[in-house]
């Protein structure tokens, strides 16, 4: 249970034959997507530091886990992201403009494309896992060939929703994929102080469902594992719990200082220099004759232009207002909500007529 499933080792060498499993086109798309979302993540951090966006949750270092899993999904499948899974959302069809808007506090940032099932980012820990079981159960009862994939971190395993979701999914054999990105820390609490279990994957046995532990920085292992879980789910065999062992280079959010609870510089450099998911795939593609510096330069230029275009579109939207948060609470606002809305608009106790 402690062994990691790995296909592409940290030096970019294949450990098993993938010729009949992953096409060259898919490999190239994996790399292009990882380069795109890494650049997006870095841009978002800069925007937050410039005061152009609110507090942001970075993900650099976890690209293989998010891109590989989301690329395995089909258009009709359901995706339940946490507040950190913007890379997965982008890959599954969400526009970068919407994601920028979300972190700018704009309501339109939570709108999913009409042809995709991408739920808004979930900030309460683990609650989206239960929701994913619900949509999966609905798909099963309707006879639809869709799966629901719920992302969560290792800290979510300490929440009751985690156990409730796995229990219900196991009982009703719902087509749910529970995808844990084990970063080793739930904000400031290391995994060893959070659970007596040595792994997240081993907890699957309590609910009689498969638990798989993979190298979360190996995009081939991620993609193949999620594909296998999808085949199992759509065949009526029920859910799978996947634990992707990875590491986030940066802080929990832009409001966090990780140096207060871990040797941040040493750990980040160790993972970046020895296990980086983007570099790992790049080395393999170069050695296979599928990639070169000319293609890299062209891709970096294309990615920068795409991100800049998305940002220009996002910043062209009207600025969000504090009162906007009350618009979708109740169909008919109660007097308490109206009072709270007035306080948001007139924080010094002044009163006026609401528009």
């Amino acid at each position: 249970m402690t062994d990691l499933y790995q296909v592409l080792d940290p030096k970019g060498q294949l450990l098993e034959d993938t010729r009949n499993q992953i096409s060259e086109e898919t490999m190239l798309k994996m790399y292009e997507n990882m380069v795109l979302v890494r650049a997006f993540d870095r841009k978002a951090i800069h925007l937050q530091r410039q005061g152009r966006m609110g507090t942001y949750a970075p993900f650099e270092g976890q690209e293989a886990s998010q891109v590989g899993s989301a690329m395995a999904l089909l258009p009709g499948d359901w995706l339940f992201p946490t507040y950190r899974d913007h890379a997965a959302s982008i890959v599954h069809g969400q526009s970068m403009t919407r994601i920028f808007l979300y972190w700018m506090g704009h309501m339109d940032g939570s709108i999913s494309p009409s042809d995709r099932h991408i739920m808004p980012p979930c900030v309460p820990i683990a609650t989206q896992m239960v929701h994913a079981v619900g949509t999966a159960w609905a798909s099963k009862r309707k006879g639809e060939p869709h799966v629901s994939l719920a992302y969560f971190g290792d800290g979510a395993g300490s929440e009751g929703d985690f156990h409730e979701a796995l229990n219900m999914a196991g009982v009703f054999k719902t087509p749910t994929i529970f995808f844990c990105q084990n970063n080793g820390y739930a904000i400031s609490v290391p995994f060893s102080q959070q659970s007596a279990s040595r792994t997240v994957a081993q907890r699957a046995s309590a609910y009689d469902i498969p638990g798989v532990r993979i190298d979360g920085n190996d995009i081939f292992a991620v993609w193949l594992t999620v594909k296998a879980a999808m085949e199992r789910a759509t065949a009526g065999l029920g859910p799978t719990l996947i634990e992707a062992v990875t590491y986030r280079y940066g802080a929990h959010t832009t409001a966090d200082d990780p140096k207060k609870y871990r040797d941040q510089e040493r750990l980040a450099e160790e993972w970046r220099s020895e296990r980086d998911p983007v570099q790992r795939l790049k080395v393999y593609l170069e050695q296979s004759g599928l990639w070169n510096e000319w293609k890299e330069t062209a891709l970096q230029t294309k990615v920068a232009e795409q991100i800049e275009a998305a940002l220009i579109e996002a910043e062209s939207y009207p600025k969000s207002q504090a009162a906007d948060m009350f618009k979708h609470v109740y169909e008919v606002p109660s007097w308490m909500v109206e009072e709270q809305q007035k306080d948001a608009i007139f924080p010094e106790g002044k009163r006026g007529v609401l528009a």
Side-chain angles (χ1 to χ4, degrees):
M1 184 62 69
T2 57
D3 293 337
L4 294 178
Y5 173 55
Q6 192 177 78
V7 178
L8 188 67
D9 75 13
K11 295 183 179 180
Q13 302 297 312
L14 281 179
L15 302 179
E16 67 177 64
D17 190 353
T18 63
R19 282 176 295 182
N20 297 322
Q21 300 181 80
I22 311 175
S23 68
E24 292 181 352
E25 180 183 5
T26 298
M27 293 177 182
L28 289 169
K29 190 63 177 177
M30 287 174 172
Y31 182 70
E32 291 168 0
N33 278 333
M34 285 202 291
V35 169
L36 171 65
V37 299
R38 174 164 289 188
F40 174 90
D41 190 62
R42 291 177 177 179
K43 183 69 172 181
I45 293 174
H46 291 323
L47 293 172
Q48 192 279 330
R49 297 309 190 203
Q50 293 167 3
R52 296 161 70 185
M53 207 165 70
T55 300
Y56 174 76
F59 59 78
E60 183 171 349
Q62 300 181 210
E63 292 91 350
S65 289
Q66 293 192 33
V67 172
S69 54
M71 279 188 65
L73 297 177
L74 299 176
D77 294 328
W78 292 77
L79 188 149
F80 288 80
T82 69
Y83 47 78
R84 194 183 310 283
D85 301 304
H86 343 307
S89 295
I90 290 170
V91 170
H92 197 49
Q94 183 62 289
S95 73
M96 290 185 288
T97 296
R98 295 285 183 195
I99 296 175
F100 278 137
L101 286 171
Y102 176 86
W103 292 103
M104 291 172 180
H106 205 292
M107 299 297 293
D108 284 4
S110 295
I111 298 175
S112 174
S114 60
D115 60 345
R116 291 292 188 275
H117 298 138
I118 304 173
M119 301 304 287
C122 190
V123 177
I125 305 300
T127 55
Q128 77 281 4
M129 298 179 70
V130 181
H131 304 157
V133 176
T135 56
W137 193 13
S139 294
K140 180 178 180 178
R141 290 179 64 86
K142 291 179 179 180
E144 298 172 345
H146 304 321
V147 303
S148 295
L149 191 155
Y151 292 96
F152 64 102
D154 44 296
S158 298
E159 298 287 340
D161 299 86
F162 168 89
H163 301 282
E164 293 161 9
L166 266 65
N167 186 56
M168 179 167 280
V171 169
F172 295 102
K173 295 190 180 302
T174 63
T176 317
I177 299 172
F178 301 106
F179 194 92
C180 174
Q181 295 172 86
N182 189 345
N183 177 63
Y185 283 85
I187 309 183
S188 59
V189 181
F191 186 75
S192 60
Q193 295 180 21
Q194 186 180 177
S195 171
S197 302
R198 288 177 297 165
T199 72
V200 173
Q202 72 187 78
R203 299 181 188 180
S205 61
Y207 305 100
D208 199 26
I209 66 176
V212 187
R213 198 163 188 256
I214 65 175
D215 181 347
N217 284 16
D218 173 2
I219 196 167
F220 290 172
V222 173
W223 190 84
L224 289 169
T225 301
V226 174
K227 278 292 187 186
M230 291 172 63
E231 292 175 4
R232 171 184 167 80
T234 54
L237 299 178
T240 300
L241 171 62
I242 300 171
E243 176 186 4
V245 178
T246 183
Y247 188 81
R248 184 184 65 254
Y249 299 149
H252 179 74
T253 70
T254 50
D256 173 47
D257 181 5
K259 294 190 294 293
K260 291 185 175 180
Y261 52 83
R262 66 188 184 196
D263 190 347
Q264 176 66 10
E265 291 185 5
R266 180 186 65 81
L267 287 171
E269 180 55 31
E270 177 184 311
W271 278 81
R272 189 186 293 276
S273 62
E274 299 177 10
R275 292 177 253 187
D276 185 74
V278 181
Q279 182 65 18
R280 183 185 307 198
L281 181 54
K282 182 182 181 182
V283 169
Y284 173 77
L285 294 176
E286 289 175 336
Q287 293 175 344
S288 302
L290 298 172
W291 202 251
N292 55 45
E293 285 308 308
W294 179 85
K295 291 182 178 180
E296 180 71 21
T297 300
L299 176 61
Q300 293 289 350
T301 300
K302 176 184 175 182
V303 160
E305 291 174 350
Q306 290 176 322
I307 294 172
E308 190 60 30
L311 176 60
I312 291 172
E313 183 180 0
E315 292 191 323
S316 71
Y317 274 67
K319 296 291 185 181
S320 58
Q321 303 298 319
D324 291 347
M325 73 179 80
F326 300 96
K327 289 182 178 178
H328 304 286
V329 181
Y330 297 105
E331 181 179 7
V332 179
S334 67
W335 67 268
M336 291 180 290
V337 170
E338 289 181 339
E339 285 295 312
Q340 292 170 17
Q341 187 178 14
K342 289 176 181 177
D343 287 339
I345 298 174
F346 307 106
E348 296 180 359
K350 299 176 182 178
R351 288 292 180 263
V353 179
L354 294 178

